[in-house]
Amino acid sequence: MLIRLLGPVEVERSGQPRAVRPPQVALALAALAWETGRVVPVESLLARVWGEGVPQGARRTLYTIITRIRRDVLADEGAVVHRLGGYLLDVDAAAVDVARFRALADRAMTAADPVPMLDEALALWRGEPMTGLPGEWVDRARRRLCDERKEAVLRWARAMTPRDAAAAVAALSPLAEEHPLDELVAAALIEALHAWGRTAEALAHFARVRTTLAEELGVEPGASLQRVHRTLLRPGEVTERLVPAQLPVALRYFVGRAAELERLEAMIGGRRPSAVACVISGPPGVGKSSLALRWADLHRDRFPGGQLYADLGTADATTVLPRFLNALGVPEAQLPSGTEARIGLYRSLLASRRVLVVLDDARSAAQVRPLLATAPGSLTLVTSRAELPGLAVTEGAYLLRLDVLPGTDAYRLLVAWLGEHRPAGEPEAAARIVRRCGRLPLALAIVAARLAQRVDLPLAEVAAELERPGADLAPFAHDDPAIDLRGVFGRSYQSLPAPVARLFRRLGQHPGPRVSPAAAASLAALPVDRTKELAAHLERVNLVDVREPGHLRLHDLLRVYAAERAHATDSRTVRRAATQRLLDHYVHTACAANDLCYPHRDSLSLDPPARGTTPERFAGPADALRWYADESPALPPLLKEAIAAGLDRHAWQLTWAFAEFMQRRGLWEETLRMHAVALAASERLGDGLARARCHNSIARAHARLGRDREAIDHFERAAELHRELGEHGLEAHVHLGMCVVLSKEGAGPALRHTLRAMELFRQAGDVVGEARALNNAGWLRAETGAYDEALADCRRAQRMLAEVGYAQGEGHAWDSIAHVLDLKGDTRGAVAGFERAVELLEGCDDPHAAATTLVRLGETHLRAGDVASALKAWKQAAHWYDAVGDPRAGQVRDRISTHGHVR
């Protein structure tokens, strides 16, 4: 399968293209294929498909479009995966013609003969990209692709001119008509015409371009075009004024960064009426220098006055100015004696030159200002770990922040170093290496260089080394301190004031990549406002990222470095106290979230948090649910930290506080893994009540996964412990849970446990529990055919739960009522009951139960002959199953596919 965007949007199978229609489906497919392997947020998809005026109901329409892409476009050759608030097109990058074109163009840059690869790349083009599709996003993407094609044609033509000048002229002529002001295109065409023996036409084309530039822009041709012209007039007699050319050799393996290069071009490209400066900032090791030098290498012809380069990591203006002045033709003996005089001379010399100045690894704006280029059309490119906003304020500099590579580009960097064979032969290991390097270019380059030297070294062995427990930065060490990862990180850390450095070390003790301000404040034992001030300093030097509202984010390798510094600098007592405050923060916050989101669940009795701990404060249940969703990925490493620190009580309490959230999302395997840790902790504590709670949660997860024997075993252990402790209400919950398993053997055994649960709930004064047991009894009675008695039980349970305001329980009761009515043949009543159940379950954050009820609603509609309503219910069910990652979404889609043609 090949998804084709370089022309009309089509899908090609076995050499046969098929158009993707209608336009909205084509737009959505193009938007996903543009970022293959990356999650495209739903908001971005909506904007790309509908533009600024997203209509009401667009989200629901988008779900339908995604379904059509899965079913009609991809079939079984790929998937659209719902993940992290968006969708990801899961196909091989080579299955998209845009990715294939870019990969071939990139490989051609380092090939001894680029022509075959460029031939193959350009052959993928079938016309205007995404032909006929409207919208601003499409227009931007189309322009970008056309620019990339122009660069590929130029490179192909330059390589072909010595071999087949006529072919080069044929390729360049339409390009010159399309881009009459592009001097690179003009120069290439003139050289090709001359090589073909048509020098008169070459001279005529130069004259046309010169006239156009004068009329349109009021400028003369640049140095590169002028040089080509003089070559035509006086072959072999061209002499050029010596100009500085100090740019270092560009990286051999430069991959990706197309978007950043495009942004640089948009900000600083072309000729400007004044000098321009741009600061490229980002975390250490992210490739700031590589990007600057790549752009400079691509556009050096724009600067006939030359290129100057200085590494400001260990230098400043006083040491750089003499070298720059020497390069500009000032002998050592004629250098002025004072710094101010040298700055004045430097500016005077540059006043009449269009130059490019690259200032690498600048530490401050003060270092940069004396070295800025001043002539119109000149550019100063600055790289810095800090953003240097002062240059934007005083010099009008553009600011560009660089992040780690996207996943596909990080993999391509590995391929660039190793060739395609080794990563393709061990794709899982290659992905693990990319993941462990955190997509940081420097880390990837260090590991890839090692692999390139050891062709016998399996990628899996290196991946295992990088992933070993307690892994540090040793695999990223290098003899050259300029690229040793610890040294690179250390240069940023060593410049931090002591309070900021202390917060950085504390952040290294958080096991996850995202840290809320309150969690950071707890680690540091500081007020939240003071923590935010210190974090702002870390952000300015790109050691943390605070662009995501409400969170600090550390790159994985920076977090490892911060932890190393904490172990080297702080005592074990200091580190353990910080870990306890962090776990206190999470336990108290999670229990508060549990009380808000699930008020009818019992609460834990907690010890006061350690001094300096700051739990989160929630505005309401929705706020608490967002916190659960944000922090649940950090739960496994937090439990690991708790166990390592000997904080077993924190381990089981934190697991308990997350249990209901996880279960409502159907995360049963995760529930088992977390509760295995919690159960072991509670056994070390000798806490019978904690053990019983863990056994009960483990049993429920086994029951949901169909592991009945394991479920019964853990239910019986939980019931026994609760009886020994005299916890009748908690024992009742166990009996109720056992019904899920026992009902498979018939209604009788399950009903006995349900009635026992009801009795125990009544003894404990638990009205909610009693009503839930009553509802369960009604469902089981319906299984025996006692419909009237069953309906009475379920209706009574619904009234009890409505009176106490327990929406989730009432939703389940309405589901039971609808089920019984359906069995009695009352379709209208059943539909109304199921719809009320869905409304309640969706409103109280129980998407798993809502999906199950929607499936039953669809079945009822289908039996009544209402196929359209059945399909609508099942589509919503599939959406909720997708949202919680339940594989039953596929089963529901099979039903939709089976019945979708029936109307």
Side-chain angles (χ1 to χ4, degrees):
M1 178 186 71
L2 179 62
I3 298 171
R4 309 192 70 164
L5 307 185
L6 299 175
V9 177
E10 298 173 342
V11 175
E12 179 181 308
R13 287 188 174 88
S14 302
Q16 296 299 316
R18 182 168 65 88
V20 178
R21 297 190 180 94
Q24 286 182 342
V25 175
L27 275 167
L29 176 64
L32 291 167
W34 185 259
E35 303 190 52
T36 301
R38 292 195 295 252
V39 174
V40 183
V42 169
E43 298 299 328
S44 296
L45 273 175
L46 292 171
R48 292 177 182 184
V49 175
W50 281 280
E52 293 184 359
V54 178
Q56 288 188 345
R59 283 178 178 267
R60 192 173 298 277
T61 303
L62 181 61
Y63 301 146
T64 302
I65 291 171
I66 295 297
T67 300
R68 289 190 63 171
I69 291 173
R70 287 168 172 149
R71 181 190 64 203
D72 301 336
V73 178
L74 300 178
D76 59 350
E77 296 186 65
V80 178
V81 182
H82 185 275
R83 188 179 297 167
L84 300 174
Y87 290 91
L88 175 147
L89 179 61
D90 187 13
V91 297
D92 189 273
V96 179
D97 64 356
V98 170
R100 190 179 294 183
F101 167 79
R102 287 172 171 165
L104 288 164
D106 282 349
R107 286 166 52 202
M109 295 188 71
T110 57
D113 181 7
V115 170
M117 292 179 190
L118 290 172
D119 274 332
E120 186 179 348
L122 292 167
L124 293 166
W125 284 72
R126 297 161 296 114
E128 180 186 66
M130 295 170 277
T131 306
L133 293 185
E136 293 181 5
W137 174 78
V138 172
D139 289 341
R140 289 195 303 272
R142 193 176 283 141
R143 287 194 298 270
R144 176 174 164 187
L145 286 169
C146 288
D147 285 343
E148 291 177 32
R149 181 183 180 277
K150 180 181 73 172
E151 183 179 343
V153 172
L154 269 174
R155 287 159 54 199
W156 179 90
R158 288 178 184 132
M160 284 296 294
T161 293
R163 311 179 195 180
D164 188 349
V169 169
L172 289 167
S173 295
L175 208 61
E177 290 182 15
E178 187 179 350
H179 303 280
L181 298 176
D182 192 312
E183 296 187 37
L184 293 178
V185 174
L189 177 56
I190 290 168
E191 288 176 326
L193 285 166
H194 179 57
W196 194 14
R198 295 162 65 174
T199 305
E201 290 182 41
L203 290 167
H205 187 68
F206 174 83
R208 285 195 298 273
V209 172
R210 183 175 188 175
T211 300
T212 303
L213 288 169
E215 291 176 351
E216 297 288 334
L217 303 178
V219 298
E220 284 292 309
S224 177
L225 192 52
Q226 294 273 16
R227 183 173 63 250
V228 170
H229 180 234
R230 288 196 295 273
T231 301
L232 302 184
L233 296 176
R234 299 185 301 277
E237 297 180 12
V238 178
T239 57
E240 294 288 340
R241 180 182 62 166
L242 182 64
V243 294
Q246 296 185 337
L247 293 181
V249 176
L251 276 182
R252 180 181 178 187
Y253 302 120
F254 183 93
V255 169
R257 299 298 190 200
E260 289 84 355
L261 287 167
E262 186 177 281
R263 284 194 60 199
L264 278 173
E265 182 63 13
M267 290 189 294
I268 61 182
R271 291 183 173 85
R272 304 272 179 165
S274 61
V276 177
C278 179
V279 180
I280 303 172
S281 66
V286 81
K288 302 178 291 293
S289 301
S290 299
L291 178 65
L293 293 175
R294 173 67 167 179
W295 190 95
D297 189 55
L298 289 173
H299 302 290
R300 64 173 73 215
D301 285 348
R302 295 183 183 178
F303 304 99
Q307 310 96 42
L308 297 166
Y309 173 85
D311 181 352
L312 297 184
T314 56
D316 56 25
T318 58
T319 54
V320 171
L321 276 169
R323 289 193 279 113
F324 278 6
L325 290 170
N326 291 158
L328 292 168
V330 180
E332 191 73 29
Q334 296 179 20
L335 290 176
S337 58
T339 299
E340 288 301 320
R342 290 178 176 181
I343 292 172
L345 177 59
Y346 172 72
R347 290 175 176 167
S348 299
L349 291 172
L350 293 190
S352 59
R353 295 174 180 248
R354 194 161 71 235
V355 298
L356 171 63
V357 179
V358 179
L359 303 175
D360 205 6
D361 201 16
R363 288 163 289 159
S364 68
Q367 275 186 304
V368 170
R369 286 192 179 98
L371 302 172
L372 291 172
T374 55
S378 293
L379 169 66
T380 306
L381 263 182
V382 182
T383 72
S384 177
R385 298 164 191 233
E387 291 186 349
L388 308 186
L391 287 178
V393 174
T394 58
E395 273 73 34
Y398 296 100
L399 304 180
L400 175 66
R401 189 186 187 280
L402 207 56
D403 209 340
V404 296
L405 288 169
T408 51
D409 287 344
Y411 179 83
R412 287 170 58 210
L413 181 57
L414 204 60
V415 169
W417 275 89
L418 305 180
E420 292 186 357
H421 177 70
R422 289 175 74 186
E426 297 183 76
E428 182 183 350
R432 288 161 57 200
I433 290 171
V434 167
R435 184 167 55 250
R436 184 65 183 93
C437 291
R439 296 179 282 125
L440 190 72
L442 178 57
L444 278 165
I446 292 171
V447 174
R450 176 185 166 198
L451 283 164
Q453 290 176 334
R454 292 279 308 280
V455 294
D456 60 325
L457 186 61
L459 271 64
E461 184 177 323
V462 173
E465 178 189 352
L466 295 175
E467 293 173 341
R468 76 180 191 278
D472 55 16
L473 297 182
F476 305 101
H478 199 280
D479 293 339
D480 183 351
I483 56 175
D484 174 78
L485 203 59
R486 276 200 190 98
V488 171
F489 289 167
R491 288 195 288 277
S492 292
Y493 173 77
Q494 289 160 11
S495 66
L496 299 175
V500 181
R502 191 177 304 116
L503 174 62
F504 179 70
R505 296 197 301 273
R506 293 289 77 78
L507 292 175
Q509 293 185 245
H510 192 288
R514 302 161 72 253
V515 189
S516 73
S522 299
L523 276 166
L526 292 170
V528 172
D529 287 346
R530 175 58 175 158
T531 302
K532 288 181 177 178
E533 291 175 8
L534 300 177
H537 188 115
L538 289 172
E539 184 197 20
R540 287 194 293 273
V541 295
N542 283 294
L543 289 177
V544 302
D545 184 351
V546 298
R547 287 174 295 172
E548 183 180 355
H551 285 90
L552 316 176
R553 181 178 285 275
L554 265 77
H555 187 276
D556 289 347
L557 296 178
L558 276 170
R559 190 171 69 255
V560 171
Y561 177 75
E564 286 187 356
R565 298 316 308 155
H567 277 270
T569 307
D570 303 312
S571 68
R572 185 176 183 278
T573 301
V574 168
R575 298 197 309 274
R576 190 180 187 280
T579 298
Q580 179 165 349
R581 289 193 302 271
L582 177 68
L583 291 166
D584 276 349
H585 161 85
Y586 273 101
V587 168
H588 282 264
T589 300
C591 286
N594 175 78
D595 293 345
L596 272 173
C597 298
Y598 317 116
H600 296 285
R601 192 179 183 223
D602 54 323
S603 298
L604 292 184
S605 177
L606 301 175
D607 294 331
R611 184 177 179 183
T613 303
T614 305
E616 306 282 353
R617 295 181 179 179
F618 300 121
D623 195 20
L625 280 172
R626 279 192 293 272
W627 181 86
Y628 268 135
D630 286 344
E631 299 296 343
S632 55
L635 182 57
L638 282 168
L639 294 182
K640 185 178 178 181
E641 290 291 320
I643 300 304
L647 299 171
D648 287 330
R649 190 171 304 282
H650 291 76
W652 85 259
Q653 288 177 340
L654 189 57
T655 302
W656 178 90
F658 269 86
E660 184 72 11
F661 173 82
M662 295 173 69
Q663 290 171 11
R664 290 198 184 196
R665 277 149 184 78
L667 303 173
W668 306 115
E669 293 289 0
E670 292 87 341
T671 295
L672 287 176
R673 286 194 291 272
M674 299 305 101
H675 279 83
V677 176
L679 179 59
S682 64
E683 288 172 343
R684 286 191 294 271
L685 290 168
D687 188 330
L689 182 56
R691 288 168 57 207
R693 291 179 188 273
C694 291
H695 279 300
N696 189 35
S697 290
I698 291 170
R700 288 175 182 274
H702 278 307
R704 290 290 187 175
L705 292 168
R707 301 167 187 165
D708 296 349
R709 185 170 61 183
E710 292 90 340
I712 291 296
D713 181 43
H714 283 281
F715 275 134
E716 288 177 346
R717 292 188 208 176
E720 181 183 354
L721 286 165
H722 282 311
R723 278 195 297 273
E724 291 175 358
L725 295 167
E727 294 284 354
H728 300 304
L730 295 176
E731 183 189 350
H733 282 287
V734 177
H735 285 287
L736 206 55
M738 291 180 75
C739 297
V740 175
V741 180
L742 295 174
S743 62
K744 299 176 184 178
E745 302 173 6
L751 186 57
R752 284 193 296 276
H753 276 276
T754 295
L755 296 176
R756 176 58 177 156
M758 195 185 312
E759 178 187 349
L760 290 170
F761 278 130
R762 194 176 292 122
Q763 290 177 14
D766 187 342
V767 175
V768 168
E770 182 184 351
R772 290 178 59 217
L774 183 61
N775 180 58
N776 211 53
W779 182 284
L780 292 167
R781 292 189 206 281
E783 297 300 302
T784 67
Y787 298 145
D788 292 337
E789 189 177 356
L791 193 58
D793 284 347
C794 295
R795 289 196 184 281
R796 183 181 162 213
Q798 180 270 320
R799 289 192 296 272
M800 292 171 67
L801 291 163
E803 286 175 4
V804 297
Y806 184 31
Q808 185 201 23
E810 187 187 353
H812 284 285
W814 273 111
D815 179 69
S816 299
I817 291 168
H819 173 65
V820 177
L821 290 172
D822 200 18
L823 293 173
K824 286 168 65 74
D826 182 356
T827 300
R828 181 178 296 178
V831 167
F834 282 134
E835 288 177 344
R836 177 60 177 151
V838 170
E839 179 184 1
L840 288 163
L841 293 170
E842 288 183 343
C844 69
D845 183 48
D846 198 348
H848 209 269
T852 304
T853 298
L854 282 160
V855 171
R856 284 196 274 268
L857 173 59
E859 292 168 345
T860 302
H861 279 307
L862 187 66
R863 284 193 294 272
D866 188 350
V867 177
S869 295
L871 293 174
K872 181 180 178 183
W874 288 338
K875 288 174 182 176
Q876 186 66 4
H879 162 72
W880 286 123
Y881 279 139
D882 275 336
V884 297
D886 193 309
R888 280 179 285 185
Q891 299 170 16
V892 175
R893 288 198 180 88
D894 288 342
R895 293 191 186 191
I896 295 170
S897 179
T898 300
H899 298 283
H901 65 283
V902 180
R903 295 291 180 187

